[in-house]
Amino acid sequence: MAEAVDVWEPDTHPDLPIERGKHGRGVGEWVPFEKHRYLCLYLNATREAWKGFKNRVLLDPFCGPGRVQVLGETISRDGGTVVAYRQSVLSGAPFTRVLVGDIDPDRAAANELRLMAHGAPVQKFVGAAYETVDSMIKAVPFGALVLAYIDPYNLEYLSFSIIERLAKLQHVDFAVHFSIMDLHRNIDMEMNPCRDRFRDALPGWRTRLPADELSKQSLPNWFFEEWCSRVKDLGFIVSSRMPRITDGEGRAIYRLVFFSRHPLPNRIWGDIARDQNRELF
């Protein structure tokens, strides 16, 4: 059985931008030890399926600079796309194309260079994800197996149109980081039509609210379930295994949602996500 990538490797471009979180002090340790952990576990577990495709594509429209620094650490670590590419190589089914995008040109370029340093066949796209996704889709070879890794900072950037357009690809699986914290903190304020930050994440959500008034506590769950229902309407099976990514104090930040049209990847994801204590590194 193939091993998983090392938890740390020196930065190939230490002079380039590094993701240090919203306040510049560092990202949470859950980024490498949970988010990236699940990604590696999945790629390794599905390596035989990937080998069955001539073209294997990783697509990340919110790629960042390809390097992160964890709060309290002096070292930096590989970002999600770099970790994923290295894992695909180690598992014997390297991605034949890596498509990365970011609204910040310097961050997109940094990610591209770090991937190139590992030999990845990478193509970068600069711009907001909802704008670049069509160009990214055009760069996917016909018949390729695609993993769409969708990891925006906040829920307002998780435009449902991104998922709708990517869903038109012939073979595509999704791993989406859905911002539960943003939803719980702001859903009551978003009831105000003058705000509506979540309109792109779930278009027309207010018009579908139940006749019976929902409490502030139940509204986020309704919103999330409605979002999953819209994904299912696109022909996907949404895995019931949705790991909660938490901060250092046990508060849920994201739910990692996986969905595919076929039962095999969903079954494998279910096995991965069920055992949250499984050793990776």
Side-chain angles (χ1 to χ4, degrees):
M1 181 175 178
E3 297 178 355
V5 297
D6 293 335
V7 68
W8 180 81
E9 184 173 273
D11 190 359
T12 58
H13 291 80
D15 55 318
L16 296 180
I18 294 173
E19 175 59 58
R20 292 187 172 89
K22 183 177 180 180
H23 302 291
R25 298 191 296 268
V27 302
E29 63 179 11
W30 43 268
V31 172
F33 298 127
E34 293 189 66
K35 287 167 62 172
H36 298 167
R37 173 180 180 268
Y38 282 115
L39 182 58
C40 287
L41 282 170
Y42 176 75
L43 290 173
N44 191 44
T46 55
R47 61 192 180 279
E48 295 302 325
W50 285 99
K51 291 176 184 177
F53 287 80
K54 177 182 177 181
N55 293 299
R56 302 175 292 271
V57 179
L58 174 66
L59 189 152
D60 181 354
F62 299 95
C63 70
R67 197 76 181 178
V68 301
Q69 184 168 2
V70 174
L71 178 66
E73 292 189 344
T74 57
I75 62 170
S76 64
R77 303 173 183 271
D78 287 334
T81 48
V82 178
V83 166
Y85 180 74
R86 290 180 55 216
Q87 181 63 60
S88 74
V89 173
L90 187 60
S91 296
F95 288 113
T96 58
R97 192 165 298 189
V98 181
L99 308 175
V100 297
D102 198 278
I103 196 169
D104 185 322
D106 292 334
R107 290 161 64 89
N111 197 305
E112 178 188 40
L113 289 171
R114 286 181 169 119
L115 281 163
M116 289 174 63
H118 290 284
V122 58
Q123 183 176 352
K124 80 172 187 298
F125 300 80
V126 177
Y130 69 88
E131 295 175 342
T132 60
V133 67
D134 289 331
S135 297
M136 299 178 90
I137 290 170
K138 290 178 182 178
V140 174
F142 179 77
L145 177 57
V146 181
L147 176 61
Y149 185 65
I150 314 295
D151 185 14
Y153 268 124
N154 292 317
L155 186 58
E156 66 178 300
Y157 303 124
L158 183 59
S159 172
F160 200 81
S161 70
I162 294 173
I163 296 172
E164 288 178 314
R165 285 177 279 172
L166 287 170
K168 296 177 182 178
L169 290 167
Q170 186 178 9
H171 305 291
V172 58
D173 302 330
F174 288 82
V176 178
H177 291 270
F178 189 101
S179 181
I180 291 293
M181 179 173 285
D182 190 15
L183 181 62
H184 278 266
R185 282 181 173 177
N186 299 301
I187 187 65
D188 57 328
M189 291 186 290
E190 299 312 318
M191 294 295 291
N192 181 348
C194 295
R195 287 176 56 92
D196 208 10
R197 287 175 53 246
F198 298 157
R199 67 179 183 276
D200 292 332
L202 187 60
W205 65 275
R206 282 204 200 87
T207 64
R208 294 199 296 277
L209 283 168
D212 296 334
E213 186 175 347
L214 294 171
S215 67
K216 180 180 178 180
Q217 290 72 30
S218 61
L219 186 56
N221 289 335
W222 173 87
F223 188 102
F224 180 68
E225 290 173 4
E226 189 72 12
W227 182 86
C228 289
S229 178
R230 288 286 297 275
V231 170
K232 293 175 184 177
D233 288 343
L234 296 175
F236 290 93
I237 304 167
V238 179
S239 176
S240 60
R241 301 289 180 177
M242 303 176 188
R244 288 180 177 269
I245 308 299
T246 60
D247 63 12
E249 299 180 5
R251 293 172 297 198
I253 303 173
Y254 294 99
R255 292 196 78 169
L256 182 46
V257 186
F258 182 88
F259 45 98
S260 171
R261 290 191 178 95
H262 303 286
L264 177 62
N266 276 282
R267 179 181 62 77
I268 293 174
W269 175 260
D271 291 340
I272 295 299
R274 180 183 299 111
D275 187 2
Q276 298 191 33
N277 296 317
R278 179 179 176 180
E279 291 294 332
L280 174 60
F281 302 111

